[in-house]
Amino acid sequence: MQKVGFFRSIHVKFVLIYVMLILIAMEIIGLYFARELEQTLKTNFMTSIDDRMSLVELSVREEMIKKRTADDPMTLEESLQAVLSGFRSEDINEVRVINAGNIILATSALNNISMVGQRSADDIVRRSNALKAPYEIIHLDEKTRDRVLVRTMPIGVVGDEVKGILYLEANIEKVFRQIDEVNRILAGGVAVSLSITIILGILIAQTMTRPISDMRRQAQAMAKGNFSRKVRVYGNDEMGQLAIAFNHLTNQLQESQSSTESERRKLASVLENMTDGVIATDRKGRVSLINDSALLMLRLTRDLVLNRPISSILGLEQEYTFEDLIQVKESIALDFSREDEPYILRANFSVTQRETGFVNGLIVVLHDNTEQEKIDMERREFVSNVSHELRTPLTTMRSYLEALADGAWKNEEIAPSFLHVTQTETERMIRLVNDLLKLSRMDSRDYDLNKEWVEFNYFFNSIIERFEFSKSQEVQFIRLLSSSELFVEIDTDKMTQVLDNIISNALKYSPDGGDIRFGITMSEDFIKVMISDDGMGIPQANVKRIFDRFYRADRARSRAMGGTGLGLAIAREMIMAHGGDIWAESEEGKGTTIFFTLPFELQEDGEWG
Ligand code: ATP
Ligand code: MG
């Protein structure tokens, strides 16, 4: 935050205003007072001068009016001089009598006696004489540097006749000095009161600005997220109330901030722990938020995604603009599948809007739909497989039955073979349906394993013997069985089916003969069974798929051999139900080995007697 400049601070402003107000008030009062005082002092001075001048004028007029004869002891000038000589006054410097012809007749100042009989050069005298009116001026005495009041006053007006004028010089400096003195005292008073005002102003301003700057510091601290600071409350005035309100505001802010923070954390943890992916955009469709699940699903990093357009992130830039996505009501499937790996996401869109309808952004929820899609695909494939498997024998049977109905039944040579075909096809269909039933029962876990303890070497060998007796090919059976007794708990019927299918496969897919090896190895907690042939083998890429339902490496051939492709699928389910595992190793043209394991517990010797 900016610092407040010195002259802009309330502190200084307040003191300045305060001082200015006092100064103006003092100035007005002082001026008025000084003027009044000056007026009064001057008036008093003038009145006292006037009084005395009137007295002098009376005596002078008498002398001037008096009729004189030649034997009078004193001339007019001598008697006037006598009148003025008797006049003594502290503030009046000199009084002169001047006749109408501007000739000085007498003066009270003895050092100026030489001027008697001379013509007065003073301007004021001539003017007063000429106009027969009193005059007054104040001038500066050159010698003493004192201000001197000069007054003239016409004397002896009988009718209109003016005998002369009375001229007076009075020292008025004392009056001015008095005024100056008072002004000085006034100025001193103003200075003292101003100093007191400044000090008081500073103190008062401080009491006002201190809480304000305290609040300012608090606001700065709050902006930095520090809510622990409190404003000091100095009193219960408006400032104090403001400080209390400010502290209250701080508390409220802190509370709401912490609740927003905890909400934010909650939301963040919800977003992060969601298995669904969530992406939020701004109003221009650029990604502003994305959770880890979404990044994982899209196989992208956060840096690559943030601020990029949502449609390109979802790989939809060809089909949809951001405006289109806002309008989308249903979910969109995003197909990121690779050749051998299906990967399908489902995206649901919802628009965040203000009350006014203004679009704030888009929220996209991603859901991994691959499993669902896989299941759907498998189901479709399964239905098509089943219908296909059933249609082939049915169409064969129809054509044979049509031929029979068309009269072939009468032909004793063809009829039995035709009937034989329909019979094998029917058996094939029954086998297929039975296999499907078996699988469906295993899928719904609607079966019981009738487990019993058997010695596996013996059990295995009995099955191998059965095949050995009935075999029609040139194959060698090689037994690599265990020398010790291996007791396992199995459902012998189901295990027989498993081994039947594996061994019959080995025979079926080794048309050119060769060896078939049967092995059992034992480890601590399971036994491993192996059936290996020297047959045609399976292409490397398809080895895993032979356990899938209806999978046949070579469709035409295995159908010709009567296979439906369900044998190993059933075997796998059964082995799984026993808690074991099954897999195959194969090399095309060289042979195939099927392995499976069964749980086994190593028993102490002698326990079995
Ligand atoms: P079914 O067993 O239902 O009569 P099937 O034998 O064709 O029919 P599975 O036993 O499930 O079906 O075998 C699936 C496919 O795996 C076979 O069609 C075959 O292509 C291949 N296969 C299985 N065992 C062998 C083997 N020992 N050698 C070569 N290919 C095999
Ligand atoms: Mg088979």
Side-chain angles (χ1 to χ4, degrees):
M1 211 178 280
Q2 214 183 346
K3 223 181 127 50
V4 181
F6 180 71
F7 283 103
R8 285 167 184 233
S9 76
I10 290 188
H11 208 121
V12 174
K13 272 189 206 159
F14 185 85
V15 174
L16 275 180
I17 290 169
Y18 207 53
V19 166
M20 220 86 105
L21 281 178
I22 296 288
L23 202 68
I24 291 168
M26 290 286 229
E27 209 54 48
I28 291 169
I29 293 168
L31 260 174
Y32 181 76
F33 181 76
R35 219 188 56 196
E36 281 301 302
L37 186 77
E38 195 180 323
Q39 204 61 47
T40 315
L41 284 175
K42 270 189 188 163
T43 317
N44 283 352
F45 186 75
M46 292 299 179
T47 323
S48 88
I49 298 274
D50 276 354
D51 288 350
R52 275 171 292 172
M53 259 185 109
S54 315
L55 274 176
V56 175
E57 194 254 359
L58 205 69
S59 322
V60 168
R61 190 177 352 140
E62 247 171 43
E63 288 301 326
M64 285 184 121
I65 294 169
K66 205 179 283 114
K67 293 274 181 282
R68 284 172 209 279
T69 51
D71 50 312
D72 263 344
M74 277 197 266
T75 62
L76 172 64
E77 283 82 358
E78 280 166 348
S79 46
L80 282 175
Q81 192 61 47
V83 169
L84 291 189
S85 304
F87 183 78
R88 279 280 171 279
S89 172
E90 206 188 315
D91 38 11
I92 295 174
N93 297 349
E94 185 182 0
V95 184
R96 291 178 196 164
V97 180
I98 298 165
N99 72 4
N102 294 337
I103 306 290
I104 300 168
L105 300 180
T107 172
S108 66
L110 294 175
N111 47 348
N112 277 346
I113 208 93
S114 57
M115 289 175 81
V116 174
Q118 288 181 10
R119 189 177 290 273
S120 173
D122 284 326
D123 204 28
I124 182 172
V125 172
R126 274 186 278 134
R127 211 175 313 149
S128 190
N129 247 334
L131 298 172
K132 301 176 180 65
Y135 268 97
E136 79 176 36
I137 53 161
I138 292 173
H139 72 84
L140 204 65
D141 187 290
E142 258 139 49
K143 269 183 261 157
T144 56
R145 308 299 297 167
D146 283 349
R147 262 162 290 195
V148 178
L149 173 75
V150 179
R151 289 198 87 178
T152 58
M153 187 184 182
I155 330 165
V157 184
V158 184
D160 259 351
E161 191 193 4
V162 173
K163 289 277 183 193
I165 56 166
L166 206 61
Y167 170 97
L168 173 139
E169 273 185 30
N171 192 343
I172 199 171
E173 189 60 39
K174 215 173 74 188
V175 174
F176 282 105
R177 248 184 239 135
Q178 252 172 345
I179 292 169
D180 283 351
E181 188 62 24
V182 170
N183 277 345
R184 245 199 313 281
I185 292 169
L186 214 62
V190 169
V192 170
S193 62
L194 272 185
S195 325
I196 295 172
T197 305
I198 290 173
I199 293 167
L200 276 179
I202 289 172
L203 289 178
I204 293 171
Q206 242 172 25
T207 61
M208 275 165 63
T209 54
R210 205 183 296 145
I212 291 177
S213 22
D214 202 11
M215 276 182 250
R216 183 167 161 261
R217 275 196 293 276
Q218 167 112 342
Q220 281 169 331
M222 278 195 314
K224 284 182 190 144
N226 174 10
F227 292 96
S228 59
R229 206 175 172 282
K230 288 278 168 291
V231 176
R232 218 175 116 189
V233 180
Y234 288 94
N236 202 22
D237 55 1
E238 286 88 338
M239 277 293 167
Q241 296 289 341
L242 183 62
I244 291 169
F246 205 81
N247 284 339
H248 182 65
L249 176 76
T250 311
N251 286 341
Q252 295 291 89
L253 257 174
Q254 185 174 16
E255 267 170 39
S256 68
Q257 217 236 9
S258 67
S259 78
T260 328
E261 182 61 17
S262 84
E263 285 301 317
R264 199 188 62 75
R265 278 210 210 101
K266 247 188 262 171
L267 188 69
S269 96
V270 167
L271 276 180
E272 280 321 310
N273 292 308
M274 267 173 86
T275 45
D276 281 352
V278 178
I279 308 174
T281 77
D282 61 11
R283 63 194 169 81
K284 287 190 175 154
R286 287 174 307 216
V287 175
S288 57
L289 182 146
I290 182 162
N291 70 350
D292 288 348
S293 306
L295 288 174
L296 221 64
M297 284 180 182
L298 295 170
R299 292 161 181 161
L300 292 168
T301 63
R302 193 162 264 121
D303 309 349
L304 280 177
V305 171
L306 285 179
N307 289 322
R308 291 238 342 257
I310 182 77
S311 50
S312 84
I313 297 296
L314 300 179
L316 295 172
E317 68 265 57
Q318 305 289 337
E319 301 99 312
Y320 297 93
T321 63
F322 177 58
E323 281 69 32
D324 296 337
L325 289 179
I326 289 172
Q327 308 296 330
V328 167
K329 293 279 177 295
E330 277 147 22
S331 62
I332 294 180
L334 310 172
D335 194 348
F336 293 108
S337 306
R338 297 218 196 102
E339 240 172 76
D340 52 339
E341 187 200 359
Y343 187 50
I344 290 149
L345 300 180
R346 196 146 273 284
N348 285 290
F349 299 87
S350 64
V351 180
T352 52
Q353 267 173 324
R354 282 193 208 151
E355 279 161 16
T356 52
F358 182 82
V359 173
N360 261 350
L362 195 64
I363 305 240
V364 186
V365 179
L366 296 177
H367 183 74
D368 188 344
N369 223 27
T370 312
E371 280 310 310
Q372 186 60 42
E373 293 281 332
K374 257 196 207 162
I375 290 169
D376 282 358
M377 236 157 63
E378 275 169 15
R379 203 198 61 231
R380 281 195 296 272
E381 207 178 74
F382 182 76
V383 171
S384 101
N385 275 332
V386 171
S387 20
H388 186 78
E389 290 304 323
L390 286 173
R391 202 181 57 190
T392 321
L394 280 171
T395 41
T396 317
M397 276 168 68
R398 189 178 61 187
S399 48
Y400 278 86
L401 287 172
E402 271 170 8
L404 283 170
D406 284 350
W409 65 275
K410 285 183 225 152
N411 187 327
E412 276 181 31
E413 273 173 33
I414 312 173
S417 80
F418 275 23
L419 283 171
H420 179 71
V421 171
T422 53
Q423 202 180 352
T424 34
E425 288 302 312
T426 313
E427 268 160 19
R428 191 181 146 89
M429 281 197 294
I430 289 169
R431 215 174 46 237
L432 177 77
V433 172
N434 278 338
D435 281 355
L436 283 173
L437 271 174
K438 253 182 242 164
L439 272 173
S440 120
R441 239 182 260 134
M442 305 217 95
D443 280 346
S444 57
R445 314 226 174 273
D446 177 21
Y447 63 92
D448 290 319
L449 290 179
N450 292 316
K451 282 189 176 175
E452 54 185 307
W453 286 100
V454 291
E455 202 286 305
F456 201 77
N457 284 305
Y458 176 78
F459 170 74
F460 195 15
N461 196 39
S462 64
I463 294 172
I464 300 166
E465 270 175 1
R466 179 156 50 82
F467 276 94
E468 214 168 22
F469 283 130
S470 61
K471 72 175 187 211
S472 53
Q473 295 154 264
E474 273 305 308
V475 279
Q476 291 285 321
F477 280 17
I478 301 169
R479 293 173 177 77
L480 304 163
L481 304 182
S482 168
S483 54
S484 54
E485 292 185 317
L486 300 171
F487 280 92
V488 286
E489 199 184 15
I490 50 169
D491 182 324
T492 45
D493 278 355
K494 298 213 157 64
M495 200 49 66
T496 308
Q497 282 177 36
V498 171
L499 289 168
D500 273 2
N501 182 54
I502 297 172
I503 300 169
S504 68
N505 279 353
L507 289 166
K508 210 160 48 173
Y509 302 111
S510 307
D512 308 328
D515 292 344
I516 298 182
R517 288 163 295 278
F518 303 92
I520 303 176
T521 47
M522 177 190 79
S523 81
E524 213 168 288
D525 46 5
F526 59 85
I527 56 164
K528 187 162 87 178
V529 182
M530 172 210 87
I531 297 115
S532 160
D533 63 57
D534 297 330
M536 60 181 68
I538 306 155
Q540 193 57 45
N542 298 336
V543 174
K544 271 196 183 139
R545 298 185 59 197
I546 62 171
F547 298 98
D548 289 353
R549 291 168 194 193
F550 293 111
Y551 177 79
R552 280 162 301 189
D554 183 343
R555 242 160 219 275
R557 187 170 198 163
S558 58
R559 186 174 294 119
M561 293 174 180
T564 56
L566 291 174
L568 284 178
I570 294 170
R572 184 177 64 176
E573 294 296 335
M574 285 175 173
I575 294 293
M576 295 293 205
H578 277 86
D581 198 4
I582 185 165
W583 68 99
E585 282 171 12
S586 184
E587 205 175 321
E588 225 180 338
K590 291 244 171 99
T592 307
T593 311
I594 306 283
F595 296 96
F596 69 85
T597 57
L598 286 173
F600 163 74
E601 267 174 60
L602 199 63
Q603 303 292 337
E604 292 293 316
D605 277 355
E607 215 176 275
W608 295 96

